[in-house]
Amino acid sequence: GQQVMQIPQYQHVQEGEDFTTYCNSSTTLSNIQWYKQRPGGHPVFLIQLVKSGEVKKQKRLTFQFGEAKKNSSLHITATQTTDVGTYFCAAPSGGSNYKLTFGKGTLLTVNP
Amino acid sequence: GAGVSQSPSNKVTEKGKDVELRCDPISGHTALYWYRQSLGQGLEFLIYFQGNSAPDKSGLPSDRFSAERTGGSVSTLTIQRTQQEDSAVYLCASSQGGGVRETQYFGPGTRLLVL
């Protein structure tokens, strides 16, 4: 089935540093979603990207969808302790029109 | 409005016992998903319900796992003869129509520990 590889698995930063997580697929994706899961919490939807080369911003978070629609990234500028959590990308699984495959996630920890 | 709710929030059981996990989706959402999340891992798809259609059970790891959804709303995930490897967080999510471009709203999960 569809696989989305997410790197890095872990990232530890000092507060104020930037952070980026990457999601890669071997096949073209129709869309990609990003979710955040706080420690002990449940995944919460952040954003969806649909168009080739799309860039969306949410305050300090910048999301990009590659031109070939095979990769995506989430960049956080000047991390804060509230950014701690695991960030997952999710993409349609194979030819499914309802099933998402989630990446294994990137756990971000921030040292105050 | 109310989000997705799950019960119990925590469940400790002995190996070999059956457990039943419950999910109440957001009212009006026709699609319901169950996922399993092992410690520090990603989300493993288990089963998908959409309206009155036959569910997609392709992610259920063994025949000890079953799920049903009554009246297109509440869903229960049953694990029979639990094993220690079943210990995980079981997450339920619902979406309005079930398409891959729709937002999935997750419940708080049930943390299952099999001793």
Side-chain angles (χ1 to χ4, degrees), chain A residues 31 33 37 40 42 98-99, chain B residues 33 37 56 58 98 102 111:
Chain A
N31 60 292
Q33 297 182 352
Q37 184 175 26
H42 57 276
Y98 57 82
K99 189 189 302 184
Chain B
Y33 301 78
Q37 186 174 35
D56 177 349
S58 61
E102 298 199 24
R111 286 158 180 75

Side-chain angles (χ1 to χ4, degrees), chain B residues 21-74:
Chain B
L21 313 179
R22 177 187 168 106
C23 171
D24 278 274
I26 293 173
S27 177
H29 281 193
T30 62
L32 188 148
Y33 301 78
W34 282 97
Y35 295 92
R36 180 168 68 175
Q37 186 174 35
S38 300
L39 189 62
Q41 297 299 308
L43 280 68
E44 175 189 6
F45 168 83
L46 297 178
I47 190 168
Y48 166 79
F49 294 92
Q50 170 57 272
N52 295 320
S53 302
D56 177 349
K57 304 180 181 180
S58 61
L60 295 179
S62 77
D63 58 9
R64 295 186 295 104
F65 288 72
S66 63
E68 62 177 23
R69 188 179 185 192
T70 54
S73 181
V74 171

Side-chain angles (χ1 to χ4, degrees), chain A residues 9 30-31 33 35 37 40-45 48 50 69 88 92-93 96-100 102-104, chain B residues 33 35 37 40-43 45 48 56 58-59 91 98-109 111:
Chain A
Q9 190 174 1
S30 62
N31 60 292
Q33 297 182 352
Y35 289 78
Q37 184 175 26
H42 57 276
V44 174
F45 174 82
Q48 174 167 260
V50 177
K69 300 181 72 174
F88 294 98
S93 180
S96 177
N97 59 6
Y98 57 82
K99 189 189 302 184
L100 293 177
F102 284 77
K104 292 193 180 298
Chain B
Y33 301 78
Y35 295 92
Q37 186 174 35
Q41 297 299 308
L43 280 68
F45 168 83
Y48 166 79
D56 177 349
S58 61
L91 290 162
V100 289
R101 296 192 178 188
E102 298 199 24
T103 300
Q104 293 191 18
Y105 296 86
F106 285 82
R111 286 158 180 75

Side-chain angles (χ1 to χ4, degrees), chain A residues 5-72:
Chain A
M5 304 302 293
Q6 197 171 350
I7 55 170
Q9 190 174 1
Y10 307 97
Q11 184 78 61
H12 178 74
V13 300
Q14 291 292 124
E15 189 170 23
E17 292 182 339
D18 292 356
F19 159 78
T20 305
T21 175
Y22 301 89
C23 192
N24 299 299
S25 168
S26 59
T27 60
T28 302
L29 304 171
S30 62
N31 60 292
I32 194 162
Q33 297 182 352
W34 287 91
Y35 289 78
K36 176 183 179 181
Q37 184 175 26
R38 295 182 185 273
H42 57 276
V44 174
F45 174 82
L46 292 176
I47 210 155
Q48 174 167 260
L49 304 171
V50 177
K51 299 177 182 177
S52 169
E54 189 169 16
V55 178
K56 288 188 176 180
K57 294 190 176 184
Q58 290 179 349
K59 298 183 180 177
R60 295 176 296 102
L61 277 61
T62 302
F63 303 84
Q64 293 190 346
F65 204 8
E67 293 289 342
K69 300 181 72 174
K70 289 185 177 182
N71 53 70
S72 181

Side-chain angles (χ1 to χ4, degrees), chain B residues 15-16 64 82-88 112-115:
Chain B
K15 177 181 173 181
R64 295 186 295 104
T82 52
Q83 303 294 312
Q84 290 181 332
E85 60 262 30
D86 299 334
S87 296
L112 174 65
L113 178 60
V114 182
L115 300 176

